[in-house]
Amino acid sequence: MEFRTIIEPFRIHSVEPLKMTTVEGRRAALRAAGFNLFGLHSDDVLIDLLTDSGTGAMSRDQWAGIQRGDESYAGSPSWFRFLESVQELFPFRHVIPTHQGRAAEKILFGVIGGAGKIVPNNTHFDTTRANVEATGAEAVDLVIAEGLDPSALHPFKGNMDLAALESLLRSRAADVPVVFVTVTNNSGGGQPVSLENLRGVRALCDQYATPLFLDACRFAENAWFIKEREPGNEDRSVREIVQEMAALAHGMTMSAKKDGLANIGGWLALDDDAIAEQCRNLLILTEGFPTYGGLAGRDLEAIAQGLREVVDHDYLRYRVRSTGYLGDALVAAGVPVVRPIGGHAVYIDARALLPHLDPLEYPGQSLAVALYETGGIRACEIGTVMFGKHPDGSEHAAPLDLVRLAIPRRTYTQSHIDYVIEVCIDVASRAAELPGYRIVEQPKTLRHFTARFEPVA
Ligand code: F0G
């Protein structure tokens, strides 16, 4: 590259207005929402970094696909375009469309899970864990030690701990219906998994006759990191790297709301005929006929086109670099963040930034509220609010108190991100004044979505 500046590899074709809000207005909105950012009207959010899931902008060609969508109940041409696009990257024999990733998880674990089973993963995403546990099975996270240390610099912090996996398989292989690897490792900071590690996992799976599945939500970002960081891959295309990732697995679950570049959708894909048949039977109960799953024909078209665009090198260079741009600016300003910077999000270490607060005063919540109050930025607490409450009613500090700034795909420009940087630095400079929070109302499970809070005086 001749020039240093990496520009958005697109120009804007249709715009959505952002409502400018005031600090007073945002304070009132916070009070009405019980200081829970999930309770805000999204109109009152200026820059929405709550999630990168389903929040991206579609391309001209995806919108054209929407028009072409064929809504035939069975055997629609939109289904065949979707199937071809999925199988070009992931040539599994069976592709089962679902309305989003967790529906694929529910169907798969409904067939292969159950009491007494144990499912290893580098780190389960929360819906994946919940779907494993809902069947009575146990979910275990076996990410490498560096993956749990927010400041350890390792190029593939999402890697599976092969020794831990081997020891689990040695003692319990008969109870392990599948080994999962999440690419990139969302719950661990959006960190990638190397091809070498995937090969190692596959070798263990072969040795113990256990299938390997990918939770492939952010497969293209993972492949880009492999191209950039794993020796021997620098001259390969991302498409080729993705195909190798797929070839190492026996199946996958996918949320097309991430690297499908779509607003809804997902799938389950696998080679095993008998399991696929059982999954299709469950699909019909809750999602729909096997050629549309939970989706409209037009959604299948948007995903088919999205999968072609997401492996484009100019797109991925911009995508990973623009997330890194935000992260690097925060590092330079001394704001503690999980490093290296992941593909889809920057994670601020709220416990490190707000050391005056006990984890049970929710430093992540405090920081997320302050980012919204100060600049209208909505981020997501990933810490003691999300993970601190246990089924027996007890409450403990989560391992980390993070605030995730997730970047929607192709949605915000560099000046939006420059604004985010400015607000984060301003809030960080006042970190010592930020109050703790207490919970005044909460449901029994998944409290982070609906709990109401109050600042501690
Ligand atoms: N697996 C991973 C790694 C995820 O990040 C998600 C969703 C899912 C599975 C479930 O997919 O939402 O389509 O049902 N992650 C979103 C997030 C919600 O904000 O990180 P879904």
Side-chain angles (χ1 to χ4, degrees):
M1 279 300 240
E2 197 181 345
F3 298 104
R4 198 176 53 84
T5 306
I6 292 175
I7 63 167
E8 289 84 4
F10 48 81
R11 58 185 177 183
I12 292 163
H13 167 71
S14 171
V15 300
E16 286 181 276
L18 288 177
K19 186 171 111 187
M20 295 297 170
T21 54
T22 61
V23 174
E24 294 70 48
R26 294 194 290 267
R27 282 191 184 131
L30 278 170
R31 277 193 299 277
F35 297 91
N36 186 330
L37 303 178
F38 283 99
L40 295 172
H41 290 230
S42 64
D43 273 359
D44 294 329
V45 175
L46 189 57
I47 309 279
D48 204 346
L49 307 183
L50 188 62
T51 178
D52 65 319
S53 179
T55 52
M58 291 209 298
S59 68
R60 173 192 66 190
D61 295 339
Q62 286 179 291
W63 284 108
I66 294 273
Q67 275 297 331
R68 204 165 48 163
D70 179 302
E71 305 305 338
S72 302
Y73 189 89
S76 149
S78 299
W79 153 252
F80 289 105
R81 276 192 281 272
F82 167 85
L83 182 64
E84 190 191 338
S85 206
V86 171
Q87 286 183 326
E88 193 182 328
L89 294 172
F90 302 100
F92 297 113
R93 285 159 52 78
H94 303 280
V95 177
I96 299 174
T98 59
H99 79 276
Q100 61 184 83
R102 66 198 69 183
E105 294 163 3
K106 173 144 201 318
I107 289 169
L108 177 67
F109 293 119
V111 172
I112 66 173
K117 303 271 174 70
I118 180 163
V119 178
N121 199 322
N122 44 356
T123 312
H124 287 83
F125 179 66
D126 52 7
T127 62
T128 322
R129 169 176 289 276
N131 274 309
V132 169
E133 290 174 349
T135 71
E138 193 187 337
V140 288
D141 294 339
L142 301 179
V143 73
I144 55 170
E146 291 89 337
L148 297 173
D149 174 353
S151 56
L153 289 173
H154 182 292
F156 292 102
K157 267 173 107 166
N159 280 355
M160 185 80 96
D161 181 335
L162 295 178
L165 179 63
E166 163 136 54
S167 113
L168 175 72
L169 289 171
R170 200 182 312 124
S171 58
R172 306 260 327 249
D175 302 324
V176 178
V178 65
V179 173
F180 251 86
V181 177
T182 303
V183 293
T184 57
N185 190 25
N186 181 16
S187 308
Q191 303 290 334
V193 176
S194 69
L195 277 176
E196 184 192 20
N197 188 253
L198 273 179
R199 288 188 203 107
V201 174
R202 172 62 192 247
L204 287 171
C205 286
D206 285 347
Q207 193 181 332
Y208 291 94
T210 307
L212 166 60
F213 271 53
L214 300 174
D215 175 342
C217 295
R218 301 176 179 86
F219 70 87
E221 292 167 11
N222 197 91
W224 181 259
F225 281 120
I226 288 172
K227 182 173 167 62
E228 280 194 322
R229 296 182 185 169
E230 190 165 357
N233 289 280
E234 46 284 281
D235 296 326
R236 298 178 77 192
S237 72
V238 163
R239 186 180 293 273
E240 231 181 307
I241 294 171
V242 172
Q243 286 161 343
E244 181 172 350
M245 288 160 61
L248 287 166
H250 300 93
M252 68 189 293
T253 55
M254 175 70 190
S255 167
K257 302 173 74 168
K258 286 84 172 175
D259 277 352
L261 297 181
N263 300 119
I264 196 71
W267 68 84
L268 165 65
L270 67 167
D271 282 331
D272 187 294
D273 297 334
I275 294 175
E277 187 184 327
Q278 291 179 65
C279 290
R280 284 204 178 92
N281 291 339
L282 281 184
L283 182 85
I284 291 171
L285 291 185
T286 58
E287 296 285 295
F289 189 73
T291 65
Y292 72 86
L295 296 165
R298 66 180 80 98
D299 300 324
L300 295 168
E301 293 276 359
I303 298 166
Q305 177 60 26
L307 291 175
R308 300 207 167 91
E309 295 174 10
V310 79
V311 292
D312 178 76
H313 290 188
D314 291 336
Y315 162 73
L316 283 168
R317 181 180 300 109
Y318 142 78
R319 168 73 179 156
V320 169
R321 183 60 213 126
S322 60
T323 305
Y325 175 83
L326 169 58
D328 291 349
L330 296 185
V331 170
V335 179
V337 300
V338 174
R339 294 175 69 198
I341 307 303
H344 69 295
V346 175
Y347 296 69
I348 302 180
D349 185 346
R351 195 177 291 169
L353 185 63
L354 280 59
H356 61 292
L357 297 183
D358 186 84
L360 296 182
E361 295 174 305
Y362 312 127
Q365 188 67 20
S366 175
L367 177 61
V369 167
L371 291 172
Y372 176 71
E373 180 182 296
T374 306
I377 296 164
R378 177 158 69 169
C380 187
E381 192 262 10
I382 300 193
T384 303
V385 174
M386 197 179 269
F387 301 122
K389 189 83 187 290
H390 299 278
D392 66 1
S394 65
E395 190 182 24
H396 312 284
L400 298 169
D401 276 295
L402 304 177
V403 169
R404 183 181 75 168
L405 306 169
I407 317 293
R409 294 172 180 74
R410 307 189 291 202
T411 302
Y412 293 113
T413 63
Q414 186 173 335
S415 64
H416 289 120
I417 298 300
D418 285 332
Y419 170 84
V420 172
I421 292 165
E422 218 182 311
V423 172
C424 288
I425 292 173
D426 178 74
V427 169
S429 74
R430 293 182 287 110
E433 298 157 27
L434 299 182
Y437 282 79
R438 76 172 139 253
I439 293 182
V440 291
E441 222 182 282
Q442 60 182 312
K444 279 208 158 61
T445 54
L446 295 174
R447 66 178 180 175
H448 54 287
F449 291 126
T450 55
R452 296 181 70 85
F453 301 83
E454 209 172 66
V456 178

